[in-house]
Amino acid sequence: MKKRTLKFLNEEAKLKLEEEDYLSALDIYTEMVKSYPKNKLGYIGIIESKTNYYKKYLSDSDIKKLKEIFDKAYALSNKSEKDKLKNNFERYLDDCYEVENLKKLKKDIVSNELLIKIYNNIITSINSSIASSKKYNLSGKRITNTYDFIKGVFLLFCLIYNLIFKNYLLLITIPFGIYGLIVIYSFISMNFLKKEKLLSEKIIFKKNVIKSYTKIKELKKEIENKKMSIESFKLKKKDNILKIPKDFNNNITDIIADNEEKIAENIISNLNSNNIAAFTYLVSKNTNLKSDEVLKTLDKEKEGTSTLNELINNKKENKKSNQNEILVIKQIKPHHCILMLVLLIISILSLIIILNNFSLINKTSFNIAIITGVISTLIYNINTGKHSSYTDTLNDSLILTIFNTTLVYDLVYSALVDTVSFTYGIIQMPIIFILIFIGFVSLISLLKYNNLINKLRR
């Protein structure tokens, strides 16, 4: 193929430029550079065709390549041509620089819009945690395991009493007294040494709600600051757009557009859908933030509501546990009520018979033992005791009541009479107390058991 002359190529390229066929002109000027590398016309033509006569915006990477072409064109031009070429090119670079400034401003706006949305999400999350906590019946107890403490004090008192009035009952009171001492220490440690355990759910909730509202106030202040920054950046953006040639607008429509809030919404949408890859890419592309720092901010703010969320989760677990337990626990049947009435009648008749034959029973020991038995039955903790069925609760409460009642009777009786026989103290009196208390214990157990079922249903 015959090599085309420089004049022919130059005239053809100029014609394409006049027709605004810049791609064809670029091809011709590229051919000119290859065929006539020592001539400035090809290099200048490439600059003019690539920039559409300095009316088309090019990206940073394209500008860097264009600078290499400019350097060659500049080197091959004479002084007057150099001045003209330099003025045109530098003016074009200034215009492109303004576009770069516009990009930075847009990133600043998107960054602030994104942070506003993140802060609003955090506020929504905190408010949601507070509202969810309020739905639950939070415990207001300051001290836990009170029943265990009373039991521990009782067993320790029995040991001390038995050490003053020594007898074979020490075989029982010593191990149970030591157990009581452990229970008392555990109670003190739980409620007074470990201060956080002393706080009730209501107190924990109140403290964290105050912290949460303080955090919300801080975030709202940050949001206001961000909004003010956005307004400032938007004014700068408008001024910046005026400095950019209108011919650039067709190439930078996405940069000029006031779509920063939509971009921020898209980023948040990917974060909420757990699309971390897309979230990271969009943050890097559209903001001056770092995705890992944004995620760390979110994690840090989540820690602020962790106690409230933990409280909610515990309540949910308790509710779930209660629902599971209510499926397993045996309901009260009519025959249980009949059994309770029969046992109550037996207890009343037994008490009448015993009171009419009081000669074998010490009055002082009996009265103290009866009071102990009534208290033991009333403070029996069904939650920590057996409660898979009504009969389990009845048996467990009855054993505890008879043990406490018999132990107190024997200790007081031994102190008054100076001795207590094994048959009388360990066999006869427990049988008597069983007959007296079985009806009372069955009634209280039925009420406690029914109350437990109602609580589990809530």
Side-chain angles (χ1 to χ4, degrees):
M1 184 177 178
K2 186 178 178 181
K3 182 179 177 181
R4 296 192 290 181
T5 65
L6 177 63
K7 183 180 178 181
F8 177 81
L9 291 171
N10 190 40
E11 289 176 353
E12 187 178 2
K14 280 186 177 181
L15 181 62
K16 295 296 182 184
L17 286 176
E18 289 173 2
E19 294 173 352
E20 296 186 354
D21 187 356
Y22 298 108
L23 288 176
S24 298
L26 178 62
D27 290 337
I28 296 169
Y29 282 123
T30 303
E31 184 183 344
M32 286 175 66
V33 167
K34 288 180 181 178
S35 301
Y36 306 96
K38 299 295 181 178
N39 191 282
K40 64 180 182 294
L41 293 177
Y43 298 105
I44 295 172
I46 289 176
I47 294 172
E48 291 176 343
S49 56
K50 274 195 172 185
T51 61
N52 295 6
Y53 270 129
Y54 304 105
K55 295 177 182 178
K56 178 183 176 183
Y57 166 74
L58 296 178
S59 64
D60 276 347
S61 58
D62 289 331
I63 291 290
K64 286 178 182 178
K65 293 176 183 177
L66 200 64
K67 280 181 179 179
E68 295 176 5
I69 302 294
F70 168 79
D71 291 338
K72 291 177 181 179
Y74 189 80
L76 295 171
S77 300
N78 58 40
K79 188 177 184 305
S80 60
E81 290 171 336
K82 282 181 178 180
D83 291 338
K84 182 181 178 182
L85 180 63
K86 185 178 180 181
N87 289 335
N88 289 337
F89 194 72
E90 285 183 350
R91 193 182 302 114
Y92 174 75
L93 291 180
D94 288 340
D95 293 337
C96 290
Y97 179 74
E98 292 298 336
V99 175
E100 293 304 315
N101 283 340
L102 184 62
K103 284 183 180 179
K104 290 176 184 177
L105 287 169
K106 192 174 186 73
K107 281 191 174 185
D108 286 329
I109 297 171
V110 175
S111 298
N112 282 279
E113 290 282 7
L114 178 61
L115 289 173
I116 286 174
K117 293 187 183 303
I118 287 172
Y119 293 155
N120 278 324
N121 283 357
I122 292 169
I123 290 172
T124 302
S125 176
I126 293 173
N127 283 327
S128 177
S129 295
I130 293 171
S132 296
S133 299
K134 287 180 179 177
K135 291 178 183 178
Y136 293 95
N137 184 24
L138 301 176
S139 169
K141 296 177 183 177
R142 287 177 177 270
I143 299 177
T144 59
N145 301 331
T146 307
Y147 292 142
D148 290 338
F149 174 73
I150 295 171
K151 181 169 64 176
V153 170
F154 169 76
L155 294 173
L156 183 61
F157 175 80
C158 289
L159 172 59
I160 295 170
Y161 189 89
N162 201 188
L163 288 172
I164 297 171
F165 304 98
K166 296 182 181 67
N167 55 52
Y168 69 87
L169 290 172
L170 283 169
L171 295 172
I172 297 173
T173 57
I174 286 175
F176 279 100
I178 293 171
Y179 170 71
L181 189 62
I182 294 170
V183 170
I184 292 170
Y185 173 78
S186 176
F187 173 83
I188 293 171
S189 175
M190 175 69 73
N191 292 281
F192 300 102
L193 300 181
K194 299 177 181 177
K195 292 183 180 180
E196 192 61 30
K197 295 290 183 181
L198 178 65
L199 299 176
S200 70
E201 288 176 341
K202 285 183 179 178
I203 294 172
I204 293 171
F205 172 72
K206 188 175 180 180
K207 283 177 65 178
N208 282 277
V209 165
I210 291 171
K211 287 182 182 178
S212 297
Y213 281 137
T214 302
K215 189 62 190 177
I216 288 173
K217 190 176 179 181
E218 291 173 357
L219 289 172
K220 285 184 176 179
K221 188 176 180 181
E222 279 295 314
I223 288 171
E224 289 303 313
N225 291 336
K226 298 298 177 189
K227 285 181 177 179
M228 290 173 64
S229 296
I230 288 172
E231 290 303 315
S232 175
F233 287 133
K234 282 187 174 180
L235 288 174
K236 289 180 181 179
K237 180 184 173 184
K238 287 181 180 178
D239 291 339
N240 193 269
I241 290 173
L242 295 175
K243 296 177 184 178
I244 298 171
K246 291 184 179 180
D247 295 319
F248 278 17
N249 289 358
N250 291 333
N251 303 112
I252 57 171
T253 51
D254 57 326
I255 303 172
I256 294 173
D258 293 326
N259 60 348
E260 293 85 2
E261 189 174 356
K262 288 184 179 179
I263 294 171
E265 285 176 358
N266 186 32
I267 296 172
I268 284 291
S269 176
N270 280 282
L271 177 62
N272 292 337
S273 61
N274 208 29
N275 191 348
I276 303 301
F279 168 77
T280 302
Y281 169 75
L282 290 172
V283 168
S284 175
K285 179 185 176 184
N286 297 291
T287 74
N288 49 27
L289 303 171
K290 292 182 179 178
S291 58
D292 56 338
E293 290 181 357
V294 174
L295 294 173
K296 283 179 183 177
T297 301
L298 283 169
D299 290 338
K300 186 178 179 181
E301 297 305 332
K302 284 178 182 178
E303 288 175 8
T305 58
S306 61
T307 306
L308 283 174
N309 291 332
E310 185 179 340
L311 189 64
I312 295 167
N313 291 333
N314 287 339
K315 283 296 180 182
K316 285 180 179 178
E317 286 299 319
N318 288 339
K319 190 172 183 180
K320 186 178 180 181
S321 177
N322 290 345
Q323 289 172 344
N324 292 335
E325 191 169 1
I326 199 69
L327 295 174
V328 177
I329 199 170
K330 294 179 181 178
Q331 303 298 308
I332 294 175
K333 301 292 178 64
H335 70 268
H336 291 140
C337 297
I338 296 171
L339 174 64
M340 182 271 295
L341 290 173
V342 171
L343 294 176
L344 197 59
I345 292 170
I346 292 172
S347 288
I348 294 169
L349 292 174
S350 298
L351 184 61
I352 293 171
I353 293 169
I354 290 167
L355 291 176
N356 289 329
N357 297 275
F358 216 64
S359 57
L360 296 175
I361 299 175
N362 181 275
K363 187 176 180 181
T364 303
S365 302
F366 183 79
N367 289 337
I368 295 174
I370 289 296
I371 293 171
T372 302
V374 171
I375 294 172
S376 295
T377 304
L378 292 175
I379 69 171
Y380 173 76
N381 190 355
I382 191 171
N383 293 311
T384 57
K386 294 181 179 179
H387 54 257
S388 59
S389 68
Y390 166 64
T391 52
D392 282 344
T393 300
L394 170 59
N395 293 335
D396 196 40
S397 181
L398 184 62
I399 291 170
L400 180 64
T401 300
I402 301 307
F403 174 80
N404 292 341
T405 306
T406 303
L407 183 60
V408 169
Y409 180 88
D410 290 348
L411 288 173
V412 177
Y413 183 85
S414 176
L416 295 174
V417 182
D418 199 33
T419 183
V420 57
S421 67
F422 180 83
T423 305
Y424 178 75
I426 306 301
I427 298 176
Q428 182 178 335
M429 290 312 300
I431 293 173
I432 291 173
F433 286 129
I434 287 173
L435 292 172
I436 293 173
F437 276 101
I438 193 168
F440 175 68
V441 173
S442 65
L443 173 61
I444 299 301
S445 296
L446 187 68
L447 295 174
K448 284 180 177 286
Y449 192 78
N450 184 61
N451 184 56
L452 175 65
I453 291 174
N454 290 334
K455 281 184 178 180
L456 293 175
R457 283 174 177 167
R458 289 173 191 168

